[in-house]
Amino acid sequence: METIAKIKIEKLVFPHEEKPALKNIDFEINQGDFIVITGGVASGKSILLHAITGAIPHYHNAELTGNVTIMGQDIKDMRLNRMSDYVGYMMQEPHNQIISLDVYEDVAFGLGNLEIPFNQIDQMVKDTLEFVGLTGYENRRTASLSGGQAQRVVLAGVLALNAPILILDQPTAELDPKGRYELYHRLGQLNKAQNLTIVLVMDRIEEVLNYANRVFYIRDGEIVKQYSPEEYYKDQIEHRKGRLNYNTSFNTDHRKSNEIIAEMTNVSYQYKNNLLGCEDIRLEIFKSDFLSIIGLNGSGKSTLAKLLIGLLKPSKGEIKVFNRPLNKENLTEIRTHVGFLFQNPDYQIFASTLEEEVGFSLKLRGEQNEVINQKIDECLNFVGLLDYKKMHPHRLSRGQRQLLALASILVSDPDFIIADEPTSGLDENQGYMIMDKLFDLSKNGKTILLITHDLTMAKIYSNRLVALHNHRIQLDISTKDLNQYFDTLTAIGLNSHNNISFREVENGTFYA
């Protein structure tokens, strides 16, 4: 195989930091490779991609000792805007990479800069949107896209440039099971049919192992082991099985009350561009429920959650929370008892340090400084961020920022917690740690509404599951009866091939 990139980084150090972010990195990328890089939160995965693409040192200021060469050229000597000739790069946060108001213009933007004739651009945009499963979305406003749809739009724009190396940072983090399977399958086809070289970072990689030929595990900025996909799977299966067996021993039928704390009656919501958010929702949420809402991207999950917190006003129907109508008069009081964790943590992080972020709501309430400081430390310690409490939040990784957002919610001790994909961007251990805490809160009388794509998480932790399909509630069942609805969930795309399904969890197997 032809070597098309060489990465040799003795160390990479950011200003005012003593500890290197990367060290002892030495590997080559061959044409046609499908490399998967995995590791824990803040292990250096995304920083390594920044170094390969030239974002470090050309955009992010850092001292890099060593050399990174692409197609025989040292990236230090290349202009950053020419890197697109060699590398297509999809960043971890899709909304940070969307620059246009509608989907067509966003995908076409890079092609237009290359001065390609319009008729060719038009065909390339349509072809790439079809490839990522978004045919018919050309005129959709980018602001109205779900997280998964935004991720597909960004990928389409990257693929349209037809670079020989594709570098993807968490490309399926916000996709539903069907979307993940389809995207990995299509990337595998590109890799085999066109000999496209792919380097992909993911926290949870089991679904992509069938398409990869190399796996790198990174810890503390260093690649500590290189695997074949088969070796990685064998190394991880016993740990995964033990973790799942532990969690499936939880008693998920734990509701202690029939008190209704939230109720939606015939609720519908339509966005200004006539895009349907949800339709005719009838839902009761009980005290101490651990309720999981599942559904494909764009099915209305996040819309439903935003309606419950009053971020959106229903086009039709009525919502009650804590037995009071959710309206302008009651909204402020109701929100003091509800915690909302956004799918993107950056939507709710604004302070200059972690301790300021977590303590903000307590200061608004007029709590004593001693109490505030104690609660800040308790919550930051719980999410594993206590050592960073003086740090600016945007120096954290995506997963760490998600943990920070959770801490800022828990510090106010809400009665009702709405968590929109709280494990997005986290490795498996961090994800289970958050879910364990949410489960403990529900056992102690808190009510949890979880939005997730992960049927395994829903099976393990929830006492109840609601499935949305085409903006309506398709199922509302006890999770103990989940196996009876296996075929229904598969039919609506929520238990696709190559996913670790709830049936596989119970059988103790993980691959078909």
Side-chain angles (χ1 to χ4, degrees):
M1 286 187 178
E2 180 187 357
T3 298
I4 59 176
K6 296 182 179 180
I7 294 87
K8 187 176 180 64
I9 302 172
E10 296 176 21
K11 64 179 180 178
L12 187 152
V13 183
F14 286 101
H16 312 297
E17 295 284 343
E18 295 182 3
K19 182 180 178 182
L22 296 176
K23 60 187 176 183
N24 305 324
I25 303 291
D26 189 357
F27 67 94
E28 296 180 349
I29 301 174
N30 300 316
Q31 185 171 359
D33 266 342
F34 195 132
I35 297 173
V36 178
I37 301 172
T38 191
V41 171
S43 56
K45 304 186 296 295
S46 295
I47 294 173
L48 178 57
L49 295 192
H50 289 329
I52 296 173
T53 60
I56 296 175
H58 292 296
Y59 182 76
H60 300 289
N61 185 23
E63 182 182 350
L64 191 158
T65 304
N67 296 96
V68 177
T69 60
I70 304 289
M71 304 293 190
Q73 300 184 66
D74 193 317
I75 62 167
K76 292 179 181 177
D77 302 325
M78 296 172 63
R79 292 171 58 189
L80 187 57
N81 63 346
R82 301 310 306 171
M83 284 296 295
S84 61
D85 294 340
Y86 306 96
V87 174
Y89 180 34
M90 178 179 173
M91 295 185 289
Q92 186 173 359
E93 301 284 357
H95 289 286
N96 290 347
Q97 211 164 342
I98 289 178
I99 58 174
S100 300
L101 295 177
D102 66 63
V103 168
Y104 184 98
E105 291 297 328
D106 200 80
V107 178
F109 179 81
L111 298 171
N113 286 335
L114 297 177
E115 300 182 353
I116 296 173
F118 174 77
N119 62 331
Q120 293 183 31
I121 291 177
D122 187 62
Q123 190 59 52
M124 294 168 77
V125 169
K126 290 178 180 177
D127 288 346
T128 52
L129 284 175
E130 180 182 6
F131 180 82
V132 299
L134 290 180
T135 297
Y137 280 68
E138 289 85 352
N139 297 321
R140 180 73 66 83
R141 304 288 283 183
T142 52
S144 71
L145 298 172
S146 70
Q149 290 165 344
Q151 217 158 23
R152 292 173 186 240
V153 169
V154 171
L155 180 61
V158 171
L159 289 174
L161 296 175
N162 201 29
I165 304 173
L166 189 61
I167 296 184
L168 309 173
D169 195 350
Q170 306 278 6
T172 63
E174 299 188 36
L175 294 183
D176 53 58
K178 181 180 179 182
R180 292 196 301 270
Y181 168 72
E182 290 176 349
L183 180 57
Y184 286 141
H185 181 68
R186 287 166 176 164
L187 290 175
Q189 287 179 321
L190 285 177
N191 174 250
K192 297 300 182 186
Q194 300 183 20
N195 209 28
L196 178 67
T197 303
I198 298 173
V199 179
L200 179 151
V201 157
M202 279 301 297
D203 291 314
R204 306 179 189 184
I205 70 170
E206 287 80 3
E207 295 170 340
V208 74
L209 285 179
N210 288 339
Y211 308 102
N213 68 317
R214 300 163 73 189
V215 177
F216 297 168
Y217 191 89
I218 189 168
R219 182 191 302 128
D220 294 330
E222 184 174 6
I223 295 175
V224 294
K225 191 162 185 180
Q226 299 188 31
Y227 299 88
S228 70
E230 295 79 13
E231 289 170 341
Y232 179 84
Y233 173 69
K234 291 177 182 177
D235 193 59
Q236 296 295 309
I237 189 169
E238 290 304 319
H239 171 73
R240 166 68 66 89
K241 187 174 179 179
R243 175 76 242 192
L244 290 171
N245 286 341
Y246 168 72
N247 280 279
T248 51
S249 68
F250 287 166
N251 174 19
T252 57
D253 192 17
H254 60 264
R255 187 194 302 159
K256 300 176 181 178
S257 172
N258 289 321
E259 177 187 348
I260 297 174
I261 68 152
E263 184 177 7
M264 307 179 78
T265 306
N266 301 326
V267 170
S268 298
Y269 182 80
Q270 190 163 346
Y271 290 92
K272 291 180 180 179
N273 58 1
N274 293 322
L275 178 67
L276 186 62
C278 60
E279 186 173 29
D280 197 25
I281 300 296
R282 304 177 186 181
L283 180 66
E284 293 178 340
I285 302 172
F286 298 89
K287 182 177 174 60
S288 78
D289 251 352
F290 197 126
L291 170 63
S292 286
I293 306 284
I294 64 170
L296 299 181
N297 290 121
S299 62
K301 303 185 303 298
S302 293
T303 300
L304 187 152
K306 290 174 183 176
L307 285 165
L308 277 171
I309 194 62
L311 292 175
L312 299 176
K313 183 179 179 180
S315 306
K316 187 183 74 172
E318 183 183 38
I319 301 174
K320 290 184 177 181
V321 180
F322 301 117
N323 205 33
R324 285 173 289 180
L326 188 62
N327 54 34
K328 187 180 297 186
E329 290 75 22
N330 296 327
L331 188 57
T332 300
E333 172 61 23
I334 287 174
R335 282 181 175 171
T336 62
H337 302 284
V338 181
F340 191 95
L341 182 63
F342 284 86
Q343 188 173 7
N344 185 338
D346 294 337
Y347 290 165
Q348 60 193 115
I349 293 175
F350 55 87
S352 299
T353 65
L354 274 65
E355 62 180 348
E356 289 177 16
E357 184 71 39
V358 176
F360 179 77
S361 61
L362 299 180
K363 289 182 180 179
L364 286 182
R365 295 183 183 185
E367 296 274 7
Q368 297 295 318
N369 285 338
E370 183 178 343
V371 174
I372 291 175
N373 292 334
Q374 179 182 346
K375 289 185 176 181
I376 288 173
D377 285 356
E378 288 175 354
C379 290
L380 285 175
N381 184 59
F382 157 67
V383 298
L385 296 176
L386 183 58
D387 291 341
Y388 306 101
K389 71 177 184 177
K390 301 293 185 181
M391 184 181 289
H392 194 288
H394 289 289
R395 292 181 62 192
L396 301 174
S397 70
R398 160 67 185 264
Q400 288 173 314
R401 297 197 303 276
Q402 189 76 290
L403 292 168
L404 173 60
L406 178 64
S408 68
I409 288 169
L410 294 181
V411 75
S412 297
D413 195 27
D415 297 309
F416 182 22
I417 299 171
I418 301 173
D420 192 352
E421 295 284 356
T423 61
S424 175
L426 304 184
D427 64 29
E428 186 174 69
N429 288 333
Q430 294 279 8
Y432 277 120
M433 183 268 288
I434 285 180
M435 294 302 299
D436 287 352
K437 181 61 175 179
L438 291 174
F439 184 83
D440 288 340
L441 290 169
S442 72
K443 287 196 298 183
N444 291 323
K446 305 296 185 183
T447 302
I448 311 295
L449 187 146
L450 171 73
I451 294 174
T452 183
H453 292 137
D454 194 328
L455 268 175
T456 299
M457 288 289 191
K459 170 68 176 177
I460 292 170
Y461 292 98
S462 306
N463 65 293
R464 185 174 158 210
L465 182 142
V466 168
L468 289 178
H469 184 59
N470 289 336
H471 316 288
R472 289 173 170 262
I473 291 179
Q474 181 79 14
L475 290 175
D476 185 348
I477 59 175
S478 169
T479 48
K480 67 182 180 182
D481 299 325
L482 201 52
N483 281 351
Q484 300 175 28
Y485 297 90
F486 178 86
D487 292 336
T488 300
L489 291 167
T490 301
I492 62 178
L494 293 174
N495 197 52
S496 301
H497 301 290
N498 291 335
N499 291 311
I500 300 174
S501 69
F502 57 82
R503 179 170 286 182
E504 292 172 313
V505 170
E506 292 207 336
N507 292 340
T509 61
F510 304 100
Y511 276 117

